[in-house]
Amino acid sequence: MSLARPTSGRAASRLVGAMPGWDRLLVMPQLSARLRRSSSRPKSPKAIFDRLDDTPAEIVTELGETLRQTPLGVALTGDTTRYSGLARSIGYRWFTDPATRTLYVADDHAFLSRMFASGLRELATLRGTGSRAAHCAELLREESEEFRRLWDQHEIGIRPDQVKRFVHPEVGVLELNCQRLLDPDQSHSLLVYTAAPGSESHERLRLLSVIGTQTLR
């Protein structure tokens, strides 16, 4: 619109980026043991998603529309499947609904604005003038001065950071590692969020799992 911490540092990031599909999960300590114990390998992101009941995760479309969330995913960001129309896209909401930005640390907002504009430009180019992505970009150029300015800069190739910083009203800031597992057949992605073991965010994520969906926004 990016699963746990790999091993560490840039070498680990390169390792994860080079591993094909399913096997990326095997460098994720919190998830690999559970998947290895399974009698059969999960064959798709959706099959993996069904085993992540105690981990924040979501399945999203290429336009950033959330299709499914785990319970802890809902506790982290609220129910992002509830939207309709183009508001289902986080990139569209980013420029039209100020509440969307409250989920992220303010220092990251400028980068995220550039990332969403860049990603939409790439997708609209890929899918063509009659696509939903192109329609979304057209509406945003009409509705958002910030988006219009960024669109006119013609930036492409801006990728999400592996670490995302979420702001939760009950537990505070969570720095979570995020990686993406793509289902190329449907252009859907599985996003899984985990915290580095022993970190303050790890403890806050554990607290969030206790609070659960009682704090949904």
PDB file of all heavy atoms in Angstrom, residues 1 7 11 47 64 71 73-74 76 105 114 125 133 173 198:
ATOM      1  N   MET A   1       0.794  -1.184   0.000  1.00  0.00           N
ATOM      2  CA  MET A   1       0.000   0.000   0.000  1.00  0.00           C
ATOM      3  C   MET A   1       0.657   0.980   0.000  1.00  0.00           C
ATOM      4  O   MET A   1       1.398   1.011  -0.848  1.00  0.00           O
ATOM      5  CB  MET A   1      -1.311  -0.192  -0.034  1.00  0.00           C
ATOM      6  CG  MET A   1      -1.841   0.047  -1.180  1.00  0.00           C
ATOM      7  SD  MET A   1      -2.785   1.128  -1.568  1.00  0.00           S
ATOM      8  CE  MET A   1      -2.674   2.566  -1.589  1.00  0.00           C
ATOM      9  N   THR A   7      16.299 -13.002  11.816  1.00  0.00           N
ATOM     10  CA  THR A   7      17.325 -13.298  12.797  1.00  0.00           C
ATOM     11  C   THR A   7      17.773 -11.977  13.380  1.00  0.00           C
ATOM     12  O   THR A   7      17.379 -11.614  14.463  1.00  0.00           O
ATOM     13  CB  THR A   7      18.479 -14.064  12.138  1.00  0.00           C
ATOM     14  OG1 THR A   7      18.848 -13.385  10.941  1.00  0.00           O
ATOM     15  CG2 THR A   7      18.060 -15.467  11.818  1.00  0.00           C
ATOM     16  N   ALA A  11      21.634  -8.682   7.181  1.00  0.00           N
ATOM     17  CA  ALA A  11      21.796 -10.011   6.589  1.00  0.00           C
ATOM     18  C   ALA A  11      20.520 -10.810   6.688  1.00  0.00           C
ATOM     19  O   ALA A  11      20.120 -11.512   5.765  1.00  0.00           O
ATOM     20  CB  ALA A  11      22.933 -10.754   7.272  1.00  0.00           C
ATOM     21  N   ALA A  47      -4.225 -20.267   4.300  1.00  0.00           N
ATOM     22  CA  ALA A  47      -4.052 -21.431   5.170  1.00  0.00           C
ATOM     23  C   ALA A  47      -3.171 -21.092   6.357  1.00  0.00           C
ATOM     24  O   ALA A  47      -3.418 -21.539   7.487  1.00  0.00           O
ATOM     25  CB  ALA A  47      -3.460 -22.591   4.375  1.00  0.00           C
ATOM     26  N   GLY A  64      -4.703  -2.344  -0.656  1.00  0.00           N
ATOM     27  CA  GLY A  64      -4.669  -2.093   0.779  1.00  0.00           C
ATOM     28  C   GLY A  64      -6.011  -2.245   1.466  1.00  0.00           C
ATOM     29  O   GLY A  64      -6.253  -1.641   2.518  1.00  0.00           O
ATOM     30  N   PRO A  71      -8.027 -11.946  15.626  1.00  0.00           N
ATOM     31  CA  PRO A  71      -8.533 -11.175  16.761  1.00  0.00           C
ATOM     32  C   PRO A  71      -7.518 -10.173  17.305  1.00  0.00           C
ATOM     33  O   PRO A  71      -7.881  -9.042  17.649  1.00  0.00           O
ATOM     34  CB  PRO A  71      -8.869 -12.259  17.794  1.00  0.00           C
ATOM     35  CG  PRO A  71      -9.208 -13.463  16.969  1.00  0.00           C
ATOM     36  CD  PRO A  71      -8.272 -13.398  15.799  1.00  0.00           C
ATOM     37  N   GLY A  73      -5.147  -8.828  15.602  1.00  0.00           N
ATOM     38  CA  GLY A  73      -5.039  -7.793  14.589  1.00  0.00           C
ATOM     39  C   GLY A  73      -6.109  -6.731  14.764  1.00  0.00           C
ATOM     40  O   GLY A  73      -5.861  -5.533  14.633  1.00  0.00           O
ATOM     41  N   VAL A  74      -7.319  -7.179  15.082  1.00  0.00           N
ATOM     42  CA  VAL A  74      -8.421  -6.245  15.347  1.00  0.00           C
ATOM     43  C   VAL A  74      -8.121  -5.421  16.590  1.00  0.00           C
ATOM     44  O   VAL A  74      -8.363  -4.211  16.636  1.00  0.00           O
ATOM     45  CB  VAL A  74      -9.754  -7.002  15.506  1.00  0.00           C
ATOM     46  CG1 VAL A  74     -10.868  -6.046  15.884  1.00  0.00           C
ATOM     47  CG2 VAL A  74     -10.111  -7.741  14.221  1.00  0.00           C
ATOM     48  N   LEU A  76      -5.271  -4.548  17.650  1.00  0.00           N
ATOM     49  CA  LEU A  76      -4.185  -3.617  17.354  1.00  0.00           C
ATOM     50  C   LEU A  76      -4.657  -2.392  16.585  1.00  0.00           C
ATOM     51  O   LEU A  76      -4.319  -1.258  16.942  1.00  0.00           O
ATOM     52  CB  LEU A  76      -3.091  -4.341  16.561  1.00  0.00           C
ATOM     53  CG  LEU A  76      -1.916  -3.497  16.078  1.00  0.00           C
ATOM     54  CD1 LEU A  76      -1.117  -2.961  17.268  1.00  0.00           C
ATOM     55  CD2 LEU A  76      -1.018  -4.312  15.146  1.00  0.00           C
ATOM     56  N   VAL A 105       2.696   6.525  14.567  1.00  0.00           N
ATOM     57  CA  VAL A 105       3.507   7.556  15.196  1.00  0.00           C
ATOM     58  C   VAL A 105       3.611   8.768  14.262  1.00  0.00           C
ATOM     59  O   VAL A 105       3.861   8.619  13.062  1.00  0.00           O
ATOM     60  CB  VAL A 105       4.914   6.999  15.517  1.00  0.00           C
ATOM     61  CG1 VAL A 105       5.842   8.114  15.979  1.00  0.00           C
ATOM     62  CG2 VAL A 105       4.814   5.911  16.578  1.00  0.00           C
ATOM     63  N   ARG A 114       4.130   9.665   1.431  1.00  0.00           N
ATOM     64  CA  ARG A 114       4.893   9.434   0.197  1.00  0.00           C
ATOM     65  C   ARG A 114       4.764   7.988  -0.265  1.00  0.00           C
ATOM     66  O   ARG A 114       4.636   7.714  -1.457  1.00  0.00           O
ATOM     67  CB  ARG A 114       6.357   9.785   0.420  1.00  0.00           C
ATOM     68  CG  ARG A 114       6.621  11.255   0.636  1.00  0.00           C
ATOM     69  CD  ARG A 114       8.090  11.497   0.986  1.00  0.00           C
ATOM     70  NE  ARG A 114       8.964  10.965  -0.059  1.00  0.00           N
ATOM     71  CZ  ARG A 114      10.092  10.289   0.207  1.00  0.00           C
ATOM     72  NH1 ARG A 114      10.455  10.045   1.450  1.00  0.00           N
ATOM     73  NH2 ARG A 114      10.837   9.856  -0.804  1.00  0.00           N
ATOM     74  N   THR A 125      -0.550   2.514 -12.751  1.00  0.00           N
ATOM     75  CA  THR A 125       0.173   2.310 -14.007  1.00  0.00           C
ATOM     76  C   THR A 125       0.104   0.852 -14.438  1.00  0.00           C
ATOM     77  O   THR A 125      -0.101   0.544 -15.616  1.00  0.00           O
ATOM     78  CB  THR A 125       1.642   2.732 -13.845  1.00  0.00           C
ATOM     79  OG1 THR A 125       1.689   4.121 -13.475  1.00  0.00           O
ATOM     80  CG2 THR A 125       2.410   2.523 -15.137  1.00  0.00           C
ATOM     81  N   ALA A 133      -7.601   1.231  -9.061  1.00  0.00           N
ATOM     82  CA  ALA A 133      -6.470   2.025  -8.580  1.00  0.00           C
ATOM     83  C   ALA A 133      -6.433   3.383  -9.267  1.00  0.00           C
ATOM     84  O   ALA A 133      -6.211   4.416  -8.619  1.00  0.00           O
ATOM     85  CB  ALA A 133      -5.167   1.266  -8.821  1.00  0.00           C
ATOM     86  N   VAL A 173       2.853   2.940  22.287  1.00  0.00           N
ATOM     87  CA  VAL A 173       3.527   2.713  20.998  1.00  0.00           C
ATOM     88  C   VAL A 173       4.071   1.287  20.936  1.00  0.00           C
ATOM     89  O   VAL A 173       4.711   0.810  21.867  1.00  0.00           O
ATOM     90  CB  VAL A 173       4.676   3.712  20.792  1.00  0.00           C
ATOM     91  CG1 VAL A 173       5.442   3.396  19.513  1.00  0.00           C
ATOM     92  CG2 VAL A 173       4.139   5.145  20.742  1.00  0.00           C
ATOM     93  N   GLY A 198      11.692  -9.855  24.239  1.00  0.00           N
ATOM     94  CA  GLY A 198      12.376  -9.122  25.284  1.00  0.00           C
ATOM     95  C   GLY A 198      12.260  -7.620  25.193  1.00  0.00           C
ATOM     96  O   GLY A 198      12.680  -6.904  26.108  1.00  0.00           O
TER      97      GLY A 198
END
